[in-house]
Structure formats: structure tokens, C-alpha cells
Amino acid sequence: LLTYALTVGADSFSMSGGGKRFSGIELINTQTFELEGISDIAIKNYSSDIFILPSDDETLVIKEYVSKRMNRTPFITVKQNGERLNIEADRYNNRSWIVLGSTYRCLEIYLPASYHQALTAETGSGDIFSDMNLSFTTFSLSGNSSDVSLAELTAESVSISTSSGDILVKRLDGDK
């Protein structure tokens, strides 16, 4: 969130609703996936912020956004390996903390309300946000300098860790 405020400006940030959240970024790619037969969604992310939102239907939708000054090449690769859906953002090393307005990437992941299997996420400096009431069999999130902000999380098994970021979960129900 701090990255976004420094990059684009805090006045245009909004966590509610769907669609474009920031005035300084553009949608560059949308991918849609059926989740029938998927029991684990695995996200590997380096520096893009991730917003988890409710899907309008029974499909998983991924929207990729970049700041207007960046290359408009899609940066997400999605592969199915058996019952696991792997979502990976490529490494982008030009995230700027000094030059305002230069680079910002984020993903919106629209998750069907009916998906309650496993969700695992590994992130470097990307933050993760959700206003949804999330419910999974297993939820595991590890980050380096990532902030995590979740409204409600219920899972049989929960693990959330970050080396130097903040973790805020307004309501948590689960076991370690």
C-alpha cells in the first residue's frame, strides 16, 4: 500500500468494489480459469501487489495491471499440474522507491465463493489485500517484505509469516 501511495498517489486508492482501482495504472491482460478438479491454488509472486476479490461466477479471473509508464507485456504465467493451479508473476527488479510514478504492477485475483480448498502464496516484496471473507482447508502465506491485510480468514490450517512486513487479519479462525 505504501508502494502504491508513493508511486501513484494515495487519493486514488480504493479497496472496495471490482475493476480498476488506481488512476495511474492500466489493465493489460485478463485470464479466466475453471477450477473444477483444482484442490490447490499456488501463487508465486516477487514484487506485484495482489488483491483477492470475489468472482462474479464460478471461474477464477486474473487481471494484470501496470503503471502507464511500464511495458504492457503480461507478466503472469498460469499452469495446471494435476490438481494444482500454479500462478507465477515474473521477476521485475525495477520497482522504484525513489523515483515517484515510475513503476507499479498489481494483480486482481477474482476467486469464486465456492472455492474452499487450499491457497498458498509466496511473495517477495508484493503486498496482499482482501476485503473478502476467505475460507479454505489450508491457507499458507509467506513473504519477505510484504504487508498482509485480510478482512476475515477461516481455515483448518493457517500459516502467515513475513520477515519485515505487517500482518493484519481482522478475524481469524483456524489452527496452525
Side-chain angles (χ1 to χ4, degrees), residues 1-167:
L1 186 57
L2 176 61
T3 304
Y4 173 77
L6 291 174
T7 306
V8 181
D11 290 339
S12 58
F13 178 78
S14 170
M15 272 299 293
S16 60
K20 189 171 175 182
R21 290 182 164 25
F22 314 114
S23 60
I25 65 171
E26 296 177 341
L27 176 66
I28 60 165
N29 192 33
T30 301
Q31 300 181 60
T32 304
F33 302 92
E34 298 291 332
L35 293 181
E36 187 174 333
I38 299 297
S39 62
D40 185 13
I41 297 173
I43 302 167
K44 187 169 185 177
N45 177 49
Y46 295 97
S47 62
S48 304
D49 289 344
I50 298 173
F51 297 87
I52 301 173
L53 303 159
S55 178
D56 291 334
D57 54 30
E58 292 302 309
T59 59
L60 177 105
V61 177
I62 301 171
K63 293 185 178 185
E64 302 173 57
Y65 292 88
V66 297
S67 57
K68 292 180 180 179
R69 296 181 185 160
M70 289 185 67
N71 184 333
R72 296 180 51 84
T73 303
F75 56 93
I76 296 297
T77 303
V78 180
K79 295 180 183 173
Q80 184 173 345
N81 185 7
E83 295 180 352
R84 175 178 263 200
L85 189 67
N86 294 299
I87 302 168
E88 185 168 349
D90 68 7
R91 188 178 298 268
Y92 183 73
N93 294 323
N94 292 329
R95 188 172 189 170
S96 173
W97 297 95
I98 299 170
V99 181
L100 299 179
S102 62
T103 62
Y104 180 75
R105 301 188 324 174
C106 71
L107 323 174
E108 291 179 337
I109 298 178
Y110 291 84
L111 195 61
S114 63
Y115 183 80
H116 300 289
Q117 301 297 316
L119 180 73
T120 57
E122 181 182 329
T123 186
S125 62
D127 300 332
I128 297 181
F129 306 96
S130 182
D131 283 341
M132 288 179 63
N133 295 334
L134 301 170
S135 177
F136 303 105
T137 56
T138 301
F139 181 84
S140 175
L141 183 133
S142 63
N144 289 328
S145 60
S146 305
D147 290 333
V148 178
S149 179
L150 306 175
E152 183 173 329
L153 174 60
T154 302
E156 295 170 21
S157 173
V158 176
S159 173
I160 302 173
S161 65
T162 183
S163 299
S164 66
D166 296 325
I167 299 172

